[in-house]
Amino acid sequence: MLIVDSTGFRLGRRKKWIKLHIITDGKKIVKFIITKNNVGDSSAFREMFITLKSELKDVNVVIGDSAYDSRDNFNLISQHGIKPLIKVRKNSSTLSKGSPSRRAAVREQREFFLGSNLLF
C-alpha cells in the first residue's frame, strides 16, 4: 500500500509558499519532493511515482484524495498492476475517455455512496 498527499508551508512574512509532496507506505516515507506552490499535486505525484522501482514490487494499492484524480494518474498506477484508490470528483463522468480504471473507480464510488446514503 502506498499513500500520497501534500501540504503547503508559508515562508516568512511574505506570501511565498512551498509544497511538500510525499508518498508513504504507512510506516515510512518512500519518496518526497519540495516544490513551489504552483506545482500541482497530480504532476508531482507522477514525477515521484515513475522514479519508484523496487518499492513497487509488493504494492497492491495506491491511496490518494481527489487532488490526484486524473486519467494520467489512474493509467500510470494501473500500468504497474496496482489498484488506484483515488477519490474521484463529485461530477465525474462514467465515460472511459482513455482510462478504464478511472471509469471503474467512478462507478464503484457512486455505487458505494448512493447505496450507503452518504453524500457523494
Side-chain angles (χ1 to χ4, degrees):
M1 169 180 65
L2 292 178
I3 303 167
V4 58
D5 206 1
S6 69
T7 188
F9 299 96
R10 189 170 84 181
L11 299 175
R13 292 183 172 180
R14 296 183 181 172
K15 293 184 178 180
K16 290 188 177 185
W17 286 79
I18 60 170
K19 288 175 85 174
L20 171 65
H21 304 267
I22 65 166
I23 297 178
T24 178
D25 64 3
K27 296 178 184 174
K28 65 182 185 311
I29 294 175
V30 176
K31 193 79 167 175
F32 76 93
I33 59 172
I34 297 172
T35 65
K36 293 182 178 180
N37 68 329
N38 63 346
V39 175
D41 293 349
S42 279
S43 59
F45 167 72
R46 286 191 298 278
E47 182 180 326
M48 290 187 296
F49 189 82
I50 60 175
T51 63
L52 299 176
K53 301 287 184 209
S54 61
E55 294 91 345
L56 295 178
K57 60 185 168 193
D58 295 329
V59 175
N60 58 354
V61 66
V62 172
I63 301 171
D65 60 22
S66 57
Y68 303 95
D69 177 20
S70 74
R71 285 188 297 262
D72 290 339
N73 288 345
F74 274 88
N75 290 340
L76 179 62
I77 295 166
S78 297
Q79 287 171 358
H80 289 86
I82 301 171
K83 181 173 176 68
L85 285 180
I86 297 173
K87 184 175 184 329
V88 296
R89 291 184 288 275
K90 196 184 246 188
N91 62 346
S92 297
S93 171
T94 56
L95 299 176
S96 180
K97 292 188 180 180
S99 184
S101 62
R102 185 174 182 280
R103 177 184 184 184
V106 171
R107 289 183 175 195
E108 288 173 8
Q109 290 178 36
R110 278 196 182 161
E111 288 174 13
F112 174 78
F113 286 108
L114 292 176
S116 63
N117 293 327
L118 295 173
L119 294 176
F120 183 72

